[in-house]
Amino acid sequence: MNSGEKRPSHNNSGQEHLRGLDIILLKRWEKLGSIMLNLTRLGLQAFLGAIAIQMVSSLMGTAVASIAPEVARGLSADSTFAGLYIGCLYVGACLSSLCGGNFIRRFGPAHISEWALFLAAGAILLCMSSWEIVVLFSAFLLGLAKGPLMPAINTMLSRQVDKKDYNIIFSLKQCAGPIGMALSGLVIPLLTSHFGWRVGLAFVVCLAVIVGFWSAFIKKSQDSSYQFKDEPISLEHLADSLKLVVSSKLLTRLSVVSIFYKGIQMSVLAYLVVFLNDQKFSLVFAGAALATSNFGGIFGRIGWGAAAQKFSSSRKVLALIGVLMGLFTAMLGFIDQNTPEFLVLGLCLLIGINTQGWSGVFFAQIAAWAPEGKVAEATGGVDFFSFLGAIFLPMTFGFLGHHLGEFVTGFWVISVITVATGVYLWLVSDAKGTPA
């Protein structure tokens, strides 16, 4: 090559590539910013309230799971305790999710959130008992409190946000769930290791009370135009949510999928710490692994929500998530005490991106295709089926672990079921009038 010839600059090429990435990221943030700026005062209030309630709800649901070995030792309980606790919690959630829609229409979503959070605080205080039966009953009460929270905050958001922005707004709201669960995995085990598990639970009580007061603060503005004083509250109306779900092909399909997606999510949440502790990892590291998984859920919910928004294919996005969550969860079966900690954390991150990342797209679909004014009922009806998955899959997982003496088989069984569900969702045809 002659000295006068100008060589291509790899450095300039790299800089141009980076500038291109910067422009793409800037456009993404500009789009997100424009969506947030379009929110009204009530919309922003509902969004912030939904995030706070979602975070505390998730933290309450995983608080005991994050310190399950310590709680079980304190109660002299066996290895099935974590699954039993989660099962009792979701039995309560199943019952209250069915009647939640009627109560939300009668009293308003913020009122119901306020009452539910104060009931939850009382349930967690009861969980500090020294008797296993009382702790399991407290889980049932906590479930009664958690059941109406998702229909309530989805109702608040759906009334204040444009339908075209549902995927991204609901995914952002759902990010508060992994944040709450990450706090559960980081803070509660740390408090437990220094002060005991009851002090760790006291931290959760304080947060529930604080957010309960926030719900009380916003209830007048949020509920003033959404209280139907003549809404009937009776046993014959408890099945309204279920009737709504089974009458819709799309909602029925989402219900079936949610049984297995929620089941694997709660099985990982309930037993990840126990499994790693059995593999001779410390309780603090196991809690950090759970927190890492939950942090992965933040990226998953934003990323999958953006993917569904961009490709307008929520069904295929949910199908892909199901296959990935099954495959990554199955890989837990190859972890032992000799596995480097950074590999364990990396796998937990990938698991969290998928087992925690599906719900934003999922709930946006429910809100988008629920009949007008029936978001609470549709969410509650679908939640009933997802809670069934949260009851029976972790309990089955615990049963296998207790009787086989190991958890690997359980991880493989639930992984195969979830992959099959994802493949089913990919192959089915779309319901008439619904997006891909």
Side-chain angles (χ1 to χ4, degrees), residues 280-355:
K280 309 306 179 186
F281 292 97
S282 71
L283 180 65
V284 172
F285 175 78
L290 179 62
T292 301
S293 175
N294 294 326
F295 274 123
I298 299 172
F299 301 113
R301 293 183 188 196
I302 294 175
W304 290 123
Q309 190 96 342
K310 180 177 177 61
F311 299 110
S312 301
S313 184
S314 298
R315 174 178 60 83
K316 290 188 176 181
V317 167
L318 283 171
L320 180 60
I321 295 171
V323 172
L324 291 176
M325 75 167 81
L327 293 176
F328 288 129
T329 301
M331 292 176 68
L332 283 173
F334 299 100
I335 287 177
D336 59 29
Q337 60 186 358
N338 298 316
T339 307
E341 291 185 348
F342 76 91
L343 288 180
V344 176
L345 294 176
L347 179 58
C348 288
L349 181 70
L350 293 173
I351 290 171
I353 287 172
N354 295 286
T355 61

Side-chain angles (χ1 to χ4, degrees), residues 12-306:
N12 288 340
S13 176
Q15 288 177 351
E16 289 175 4
H17 179 65
L18 288 174
R19 279 197 294 270
L21 287 176
D22 288 342
I23 291 171
I24 292 172
L25 290 172
L26 183 61
K27 287 181 178 178
R28 297 281 188 195
W29 281 108
E30 285 177 348
K31 184 176 181 180
L32 177 59
S34 67
I35 291 173
M36 298 304 295
L37 288 174
N38 284 335
L39 290 177
T40 63
R41 181 183 66 82
L42 288 179
L44 185 60
Q45 187 186 75
F47 180 68
L48 294 176
I51 283 179
I53 294 167
Q54 175 85 48
M55 184 190 74
V56 171
S57 176
S58 298
L59 181 113
M60 293 185 304
T62 57
V64 171
S66 69
I67 51 173
E70 284 296 315
V71 178
R73 275 192 287 272
L75 300 173
S76 301
D78 61 30
S79 60
T80 62
F81 168 75
L84 283 173
Y85 182 89
I86 293 293
C88 289
L89 190 154
Y90 281 101
V91 167
C94 270
L95 296 176
S96 60
S97 68
L98 287 180
C99 59
N102 296 102
F103 278 90
I104 289 166
R105 286 176 61 83
R106 176 73 171 269
F107 300 104
H111 278 78
I112 295 300
S113 298
E114 175 196 2
W115 300 340
L117 286 164
F118 288 136
L119 173 60
I124 298 169
L125 284 173
L126 193 61
C127 185
M128 298 180 192
S129 169
S130 299
W131 295 295
E132 183 180 1
I133 188 67
V134 176
V135 172
L136 293 177
F137 178 67
S138 76
F140 173 75
L141 290 180
L142 180 58
L144 288 178
K146 276 177 61 67
L149 285 176
M150 190 65 71
I153 60 180
N154 282 357
T155 299
M156 276 199 297
L157 272 184
S158 66
R159 294 175 57 239
Q160 307 292 352
V161 176
D162 288 338
K163 274 195 174 184
K164 63 182 176 63
D165 297 326
Y166 272 8
N167 273 324
I168 190 66
I169 289 293
F170 275 78
S171 291
L172 285 171
K173 183 265 294 182
Q174 288 296 118
C175 286
I179 292 173
M181 289 183 277
L183 281 174
S184 177
L186 287 174
V187 178
I188 299 177
L190 196 61
L191 290 173
T192 297
S193 64
H194 285 87
F195 307 107
W197 60 273
R198 289 179 176 85
V199 173
L201 294 182
F203 166 74
V204 184
V205 173
C206 292
L207 288 181
V209 170
I210 290 170
V211 179
F213 280 120
W214 168 255
S215 298
F217 173 74
I218 67 172
K219 66 185 179 183
K220 183 176 181 181
S221 56
Q222 289 295 325
D223 293 350
S224 59
S225 62
Y226 197 87
Q227 287 179 307
F228 301 89
K229 300 299 185 182
D230 57 347
E231 180 70 20
I233 304 293
S234 63
L235 289 175
E236 64 183 280
H237 288 90
L238 291 184
D240 286 353
S241 294
L242 290 179
K243 291 176 183 176
L244 176 63
V245 167
V246 298
S247 67
S248 165
K249 184 176 179 180
L250 177 69
L251 293 178
T252 301
R253 178 191 298 164
L254 289 175
S255 298
V256 173
V257 169
S258 73
I259 291 173
F260 301 108
Y261 282 22
K262 189 72 171 181
I264 193 171
Q265 177 186 354
M266 296 313 300
S267 295
V268 171
L269 283 172
Y271 284 102
L272 181 62
V273 171
V274 178
F275 169 71
L276 292 176
N277 209 225
D278 279 356
Q279 302 301 317
K280 309 306 179 186
F281 292 97
S282 71
L283 180 65
V284 172
F285 175 78
L290 179 62
T292 301
S293 175
N294 294 326
F295 274 123
I298 299 172
F299 301 113
R301 293 183 188 196
I302 294 175
W304 290 123

Side-chain angles (χ1 to χ4, degrees), residues 341-406:
E341 291 185 348
F342 76 91
L343 288 180
V344 176
L345 294 176
L347 179 58
C348 288
L349 181 70
L350 293 173
I351 290 171
I353 287 172
N354 295 286
T355 61
Q356 309 277 353
W358 61 280
S359 58
V361 177
F362 181 80
F363 283 113
Q365 283 284 283
I366 296 173
W369 295 104
E372 189 69 29
K374 294 288 185 178
V375 172
E377 289 86 343
T379 305
V382 175
D383 264 350
F384 174 82
F385 291 97
S386 70
F387 292 159
L388 289 179
I391 293 168
F392 291 109
L393 262 71
M395 290 179 72
T396 303
F397 188 98
F399 177 83
L400 289 172
H402 181 67
H403 289 277
L404 296 177
E406 45 85 12

